[in-house]
């Protein structure tokens, strides 16, 4: 079974620039999550999709972050404009259902200078 | 709001020791609890998933227990090896598919 694919692996941008991350979950996984992980901390949920609908985006800074999963498969997360404090690893995860394990991609490491 | 705490934040042990990592959560109304391993610069790898109706799960040298009523889970690693060095995270799933992570325990196993 192919894992969760994320790209790019690394991205360096200047503050106020825009950036987009892409995630392709494991085939058949209806639930998709985007997490932000700051160095030394556990992952923090940004947004959760069930198929192509948003289940929870309460912790997404909507003034600068947006995410979509138009066809209920792959997803993109965008930051516009970026701030220094957005420097983190952005992780995508997916699962089949509530009682199944969560699978993570390798993440995108973002550095904002 | 669910809060998940992992103690200790960091742990260093000599090779061969048996060790226990702790995870506590404030809201006992959970669906399941999952333990993950994270290597530097990598995503999270699932180790064990315990459903709310289960008390423990085992995989090789790993054993995870769950005491829902007291809001605790432990991850037991037998005969630790240098390759076990990583950060270990627990995550709790509540109603509404809300998944909350602990801050992790950074484990170093010295040869």
């Amino acid at each position: 079974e192919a894992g969760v694919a994320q790209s790019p692996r690394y991205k360096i941008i200047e503050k106020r620039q825009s950036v987009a991350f892409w995630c392709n979950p494991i085939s058949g996984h209806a639930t998709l999550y985007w997490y932000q992980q700051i160095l030394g901390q556990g992952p923090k949920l940004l947004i959760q999709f069930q198929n192509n609908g948003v289940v929870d985006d309460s912790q997404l800074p909507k003034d600068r972050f947006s995410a979509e999963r138009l066809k209920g498969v792959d997803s993109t997360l965008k930051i516009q404009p970026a701030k220094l404090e957005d420097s983190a690893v952005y992780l995508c995860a997916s699962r089949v259902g509530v009682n199944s394990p969560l699978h993570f991609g390798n993440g995108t490491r973002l550095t904002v200078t | 709001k669910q809060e998940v705490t992992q103690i200790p934040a960091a742990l260093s042990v000599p090779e061969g020791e048996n060790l226990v990592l702790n995870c506590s959560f404030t809201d006992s109304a959970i669906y399941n609890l999952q333990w993950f391993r994270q290597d530097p610069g990598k995503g999270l790898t699932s180790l064990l998933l315990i459903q709310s109706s289960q008390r423990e799960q085992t995989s090789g040298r790993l054993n995870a227990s769950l005491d829902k009523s007291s809001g605790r889970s432990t991850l037991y690693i037998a005969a630790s090896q240098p390759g076990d060095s990583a950060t270990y995270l627990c995550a709790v799933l509540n109603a509404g598919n809300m998944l909350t992570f602990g801050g992790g325990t950074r484990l170093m196993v010295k040869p």
Side-chain angles (χ1 to χ4, degrees):
Chain A
E1 163 180 88
V4 177
Q6 288 190 249
S7 67
R9 281 288 281 129
Y10 305 94
K11 190 74 178 178
I12 301 174
I13 62 173
E14 296 181 351
K15 60 183 179 183
R16 292 188 289 273
Q17 286 187 324
S18 302
V19 65
F21 313 128
W22 175 81
C23 170
N24 191 11
I26 294 173
S27 178
H29 283 199
T31 307
L32 184 148
Y33 305 81
W34 281 102
Y35 286 90
Q36 179 192 61
Q37 187 176 28
I38 293 171
L39 189 65
Q41 300 180 16
K44 170 191 153 189
L45 179 68
L46 292 175
I47 189 167
Q48 176 188 338
F49 291 95
Q50 183 71 21
N51 296 309
N52 62 347
V54 175
V55 173
D56 181 12
D57 63 357
S58 57
Q59 299 188 77
L60 187 73
K62 298 181 186 63
D63 58 333
R64 299 185 299 107
F65 286 63
S66 64
E68 59 184 16
R69 193 185 184 197
L70 293 176
K71 296 182 180 179
V73 180
D74 56 347
S75 176
T76 56
L77 176 69
K78 296 179 182 177
I79 307 176
Q80 179 179 11
K83 293 185 176 181
L84 295 176
E85 58 260 37
D86 298 332
S87 295
V89 175
Y90 291 83
L91 296 163
C92 179
S94 69
R95 66 162 96 219
V96 170
V98 167
N99 289 323
S100 62
L102 190 61
H103 297 269
F104 279 84
N106 282 329
T108 296
R109 181 177 298 277
L110 173 67
T111 302
V112 182
T113 62
Chain B
K1 180 187 171 187
Q2 178 74 274
E3 292 182 7
V4 181
T5 304
Q6 290 187 246
I7 295 173
L11 183 62
S12 181
V13 300
E15 182 177 5
E17 270 203 10
N18 302 322
L19 56 99
V20 174
L21 306 180
N22 297 294
C23 172
S24 62
F25 47 94
T26 54
D27 182 356
S28 62
I30 66 170
Y31 284 145
N32 58 51
L33 183 147
Q34 195 167 354
W35 281 93
F36 294 88
R37 167 188 174 135
Q38 186 172 32
D39 293 285
K42 302 280 184 155
L44 282 69
T45 301
S46 178
L47 297 174
L48 291 163
L49 173 70
I50 311 178
Q51 305 294 349
S52 62
S53 59
Q54 297 174 324
R55 301 234 2 133
E56 65 178 332
Q57 282 285 331
T58 299
S59 175
R61 294 183 294 108
L62 305 179
N63 176 278
S65 68
L66 174 64
D67 183 344
K68 209 172 65 163
S69 61
S70 66
R72 292 180 186 174
S73 176
T74 61
L75 179 67
Y76 175 82
I77 302 177
S80 58
Q81 302 170 359
D84 294 330
S85 297
T87 297
Y88 291 81
L89 296 125
C90 68
V92 173
L93 186 70
N94 283 95
N97 240 338
M98 297 293 295
L99 186 70
T100 306
F101 279 86
T105 294
R106 193 169 60 255
L107 173 66
M108 172 73 71
V109 181
K110 297 178 179 178

